[in-house]
Amino acid sequence: MPSSIDAPEQTNQLTEVTNTALLDQTVDEVFGLMLGSPVTVSDHEVAPTNVPITLTAVIGLAGALSGGYTLVVSETTAKQLASTMLGIEITELSSDVYDALGEITNILAGAWKSKIPSLHAACLLSVPTVVTGSHYDIHRKNTAFRMARSYWFHDAPLTINIYGEWPS
């Protein structure tokens, strides 16, 4: 894969970017500070059941890393996150849920990239987009890496995917 950075530097960046301990620390800090609720790491990737709806918040990464950061949740998890974040009971999907999910994903992605020196100031984040549906796949071109990590927020699962490549 051609790259504007040398192979050892790219290997170091890959090690930093795919460091699950760093992602776990970021998720724990954000959920602890913002939502006052710890998360636990799942032993395996937890895919939403698509029943009744799955929501995926997508943040684009551009600059030193080109790719994406996604948060995938069930409808139940999305409503729990929004309810906790906003301090009100939310019983149905609404713009409050989409906004809260986009915002928590934006904060997670920003906190994660700020912990990686090579990305801190050299990688931009897009505005979050939230996709909803009952049966869909997010298609992306093949990338240099993909990392998936699942967590439990109370009894609700969520999965973070980070994928990308270094610009040529």
Side-chain angles (χ1 to χ4, degrees):
M1 168 174 63
S3 176
S4 59
I5 58 176
D6 62 28
E9 184 179 345
Q10 190 171 12
T11 300
N12 289 341
Q13 284 184 336
L14 181 61
T15 300
E16 285 182 320
V17 168
T18 59
N19 181 342
T20 57
L22 188 68
L23 180 60
D24 294 347
Q25 177 188 14
T26 302
V27 172
D28 190 51
E29 288 172 0
V30 169
F31 275 76
L33 290 172
M34 278 198 56
L35 303 174
S37 181
V39 293
T40 55
V41 177
S42 176
D43 293 336
H44 58 282
E45 187 176 342
V46 180
T49 62
N50 290 319
V51 178
I53 293 176
T54 299
L55 294 91
T56 302
V58 181
I59 301 280
L61 306 169
L65 179 65
S66 178
Y69 186 111
T70 67
L71 176 62
V72 184
V73 298
S74 67
E75 178 180 350
T76 302
T77 305
K79 290 187 289 191
Q80 261 190 320
L81 286 169
S83 292
T84 303
M85 207 171 154
L86 300 173
I88 59 174
E89 184 178 354
I90 296 179
T91 58
E92 57 188 55
L93 289 178
S94 66
S95 61
D96 287 338
V97 175
Y98 307 133
D99 291 346
L101 189 60
E103 185 58 28
I104 193 83
T105 305
N106 191 43
I107 293 166
L108 285 164
W112 167 79
K113 86 166 185 93
S114 74
K115 292 182 182 301
I116 302 171
S118 63
L119 299 183
H120 179 68
C123 182
L124 301 174
L125 302 178
S126 73
V127 173
T129 299
V130 178
V131 180
T132 64
S134 58
H135 297 286
Y136 66 87
D137 293 314
I138 302 288
H139 297 279
R140 61 191 180 280
K141 71 178 200 161
N142 287 338
T143 57
F145 73 90
R146 175 184 177 264
M147 177 173 63
R149 194 83 161 146
S150 293
Y151 303 88
W152 293 97
F153 171 69
H154 301 291
D155 60 348
L158 57 103
T159 298
I160 294 174
N161 296 285
I162 304 171
Y163 55 90
E165 62 189 15
W166 290 267
S168 312

